[in-house]
Amino acid sequence: MREYNFDGLVGPTHNYAGLSPGNLASQSHVGEPSHPREAALQGLEKMRFVSGLGVGQAVLPPQPRPSLRALRTLGFTGTDEEVITRAAREAEHLLRLTSSASSMWTANAATVAPSADTADGRVHLTPANLSQMFHRALEADTTHAVLRAIFSNEKHFAVHAPLPPGSHFADEGAANHTRLATPGHAGVHLLAWGRSAWQDVQGPKRFPARQTLESSQALARLHQLDAHNVLFPQQHPDGIDAGAFHTDVLAVGNERFLMLHELAFVDHPGLLQVLREKLGPDFRAVVASNAELPAKDAVKAYPFNSQVLTLPDGTMAIIAPVESRETPTARGFLERVVAEDTPVKAVHYLEVRQSMNNGGGPACLRQRVWLTDTERQAIDADVFYSPALHESLAAWVRRHYRDVLRPQDLQDPQLARETMTALDELTRILKLGSVYDFQQ
């Protein structure tokens, strides 16, 4: 079984609209000009680097924005151009919401369980409903269509519909999911949550908790996971209030290694004890105290929103944003991880600043999918990274993406037309078929 990192291609409407309460980077850059072309090329360079390390790499396409289907559902009628013009005139905030390029953060696209862990021996994928935020809830149907197009062989894959929409089963995808495994032990799934729809638990006071316990429990059932190997840790309310809106802002794990901030989970010592019992002596964990790495620095620099990758020689490497190198406390913690008795032997700092300005580090940009060789061969879509695909996608970006996008540019109907033209071509490059509503 090999891990593939399915990175999201940054969309043509990448902008800084500040749509997510609790996402401090998003709020701090609201209204600034963005650079969609640069953002997409930065993402492609990250894919090139990860693939160059010998790690599995693939891509997921962006979504059509603005969402004309959503605007029409909200009462705007006429041609595409008329819908956008009227929305800009009468409800500009709705145009911003429906123009978000947030699908680039594919850690929120779905939760995935490998065939080795599921009762029916298939890979299970459930698109996240993202129902806590309107602009993100718009992604679920298209994500479902894209995943069904890629993982279409039902002998090997089970692509579920998103959980029912609404607050009760609010699901934020793999950003709250961690799979750990050691030799000789079954994979253990951490399905974290920030609030419960039924139970009376202490929650954050400043920012909203997004994932519910009930949604995490439903995912475990849907994916046919062994209950003995599933844990449901609660996100620490103080961590959420510090700006860790998802688990992957303060914790990241890979196989036998977990690094976390002490404010990642409620009772993290108890969680680590259970993990040691389930995973045995090969399990390693490194905890950052708030004294060593203040939560505000962790949220600013995103050392935990790094990718922890297993290399072909069995060692691990961390892919961190350059902001972690520029922040002394974050850099010092990552250097300690390498110096201690852990599988991590190197840290690489990459430039993904266009994404970071909106609150998304290297880990946000990828969805982890574990595949056997047989399962890999059952996928017909041309989504797996290669130098040739890189060149095709880079040329595609340069043809279709604007260099600069200012807030008022979202009101330009031509931008929507440019995006549809680009995505129509992209589905042919990736051999996805007609996955977008405008293609139907």
Side-chain angles (χ1 to χ4, degrees):
M1 191 168 67
R2 185 186 187 195
E3 178 185 290
Y4 290 84
N5 291 266
F6 278 72
D7 279 34
L9 288 168
V10 179
T13 63
H14 165 63
N15 69 93
Y16 301 131
L19 303 177
S20 295
N23 182 335
L24 300 184
S26 171
Q27 297 293 312
S28 65
H29 292 280
V30 61
E32 294 180 4
S34 63
H35 298 272
R37 185 185 305 158
E38 179 185 1
L41 294 176
Q42 284 179 357
L44 283 170
E45 284 306 308
K46 182 174 86 72
M47 296 183 217
R48 187 206 299 268
F49 186 85
V50 169
S51 178
L53 294 175
V55 176
Q57 181 66 62
V59 300
L60 288 174
Q63 300 201 5
R65 293 295 181 267
S67 173
L68 292 166
R69 180 173 64 175
L71 289 173
R72 287 193 166 94
T73 299
L74 296 172
F76 300 100
T77 58
T79 65
D80 294 347
E81 290 74 15
E82 289 168 343
V83 165
I84 294 168
T85 300
R86 184 179 171 192
R89 182 177 65 249
E90 298 180 11
E92 185 271 338
H93 68 288
L94 292 180
L95 184 58
R96 283 190 289 122
L97 285 165
T98 57
S99 297
S100 172
S102 53
S103 66
M104 63 196 277
W105 299 307
T106 55
N108 302 120
T111 302
V112 180
S115 56
D117 298 347
T118 63
D120 67 358
R122 294 189 294 170
V123 178
H124 284 248
L125 308 94
T126 300
N129 60 29
L130 299 171
S131 61
Q132 280 297 99
M133 302 282 175
F134 171 73
H135 69 287
R136 301 227 58 184
L138 298 176
E139 299 168 22
D141 288 346
T142 300
T143 299
H144 189 207
V146 168
L147 294 180
R148 284 178 59 85
I150 296 172
F151 302 98
S152 58
N153 189 319
E154 295 184 1
K155 177 182 177 181
H156 298 290
F157 307 110
V159 180
H160 303 279
L163 296 180
S167 179
H168 195 116
F169 290 105
D171 173 25
E172 296 286 307
N176 289 318
H177 173 230
T178 304
R179 179 185 183 270
L180 300 168
T182 54
H185 294 77
V188 174
H189 293 256
L190 308 185
L191 289 164
W193 54 279
R195 61 182 178 86
S196 171
W198 281 111
Q199 300 180 24
D200 184 15
V201 297
Q202 180 182 349
K205 297 180 174 63
R206 183 184 179 196
F207 295 128
R210 302 187 185 183
Q211 183 100 9
T212 65
L213 170 61
E214 290 76 12
S215 67
S216 293
Q217 292 170 333
L219 291 168
R221 291 190 295 268
L222 277 174
H223 291 186
Q224 302 180 24
L225 299 176
D226 185 339
H228 178 74
N229 297 319
V230 181
L231 301 174
F232 299 101
Q234 182 186 355
Q235 293 173 266
H236 201 298
D238 292 346
I240 295 174
D241 279 339
F245 48 99
H246 292 135
T247 299
D248 64 5
V249 179
L250 289 181
V252 61
N254 178 56
E255 296 182 354
R256 65 188 185 97
F257 174 69
L258 176 68
M259 67 180 193
L260 66 157
H261 193 277
E262 67 174 344
L263 294 182
F265 303 110
V266 172
D267 186 22
H268 77 270
L271 173 64
L272 293 179
Q273 179 59 35
V274 172
L275 288 172
R276 292 186 183 101
E277 294 170 358
K278 290 184 177 295
L279 294 170
D282 287 333
F283 173 66
R284 294 288 184 274
V286 179
V287 181
S289 69
N290 207 46
E292 176 189 16
L293 175 55
K296 65 178 179 62
D297 287 358
V299 170
K300 170 189 172 184
Y302 268 31
F304 297 100
N305 200 253
S306 298
Q307 293 174 255
V308 182
L309 304 170
T310 300
L311 306 184
D313 65 1
T315 64
M316 296 185 191
I318 290 174
I319 308 299
V322 293
E323 287 83 353
S324 290
R325 183 177 60 198
E326 296 167 352
T327 304
T329 52
R331 184 179 67 249
F333 171 71
L334 292 177
E335 289 173 351
R336 178 166 76 85
V337 168
V338 175
E340 291 192 0
D341 179 24
T342 75
V344 179
K345 303 305 177 187
V347 180
H348 304 283
Y349 298 97
L350 296 190
E351 175 65 78
V352 288
R353 202 174 301 270
Q354 284 291 310
S355 176
M356 284 287 289
N357 287 349
N358 243 346
C364 283
L365 287 162
R366 64 93 174 94
Q367 173 71 226
R368 305 168 83 171
V369 181
W370 300 266
L371 299 172
T372 65
D373 289 344
T374 300
E375 291 160 353
R376 161 69 178 82
Q377 292 165 8
I379 295 173
D380 295 326
D382 190 10
V383 294
F384 293 96
Y385 183 90
S386 68
L389 180 60
H390 182 106
E391 293 308 315
S392 293
L393 293 176
W396 172 79
V397 168
R398 293 189 179 98
R399 278 196 304 275
H400 294 290
Y401 280 47
R402 297 187 182 188
D403 178 39
V404 179
L405 198 65
R406 296 173 177 82
Q408 61 269 28
D409 294 334
L410 298 178
Q411 303 177 28
D412 179 6
Q414 183 58 32
L415 178 62
R417 187 62 55 197
E418 293 169 8
T419 299
M420 286 186 278
T421 300
L423 295 186
D424 191 52
E425 180 181 335
L426 180 63
T427 56
R428 294 193 294 274
I429 293 173
L430 300 180
K431 299 178 182 178
L432 292 176
S434 300
V435 294
Y436 298 128
D437 50 14
F438 71 82
Q439 294 177 313
Q440 305 306 315

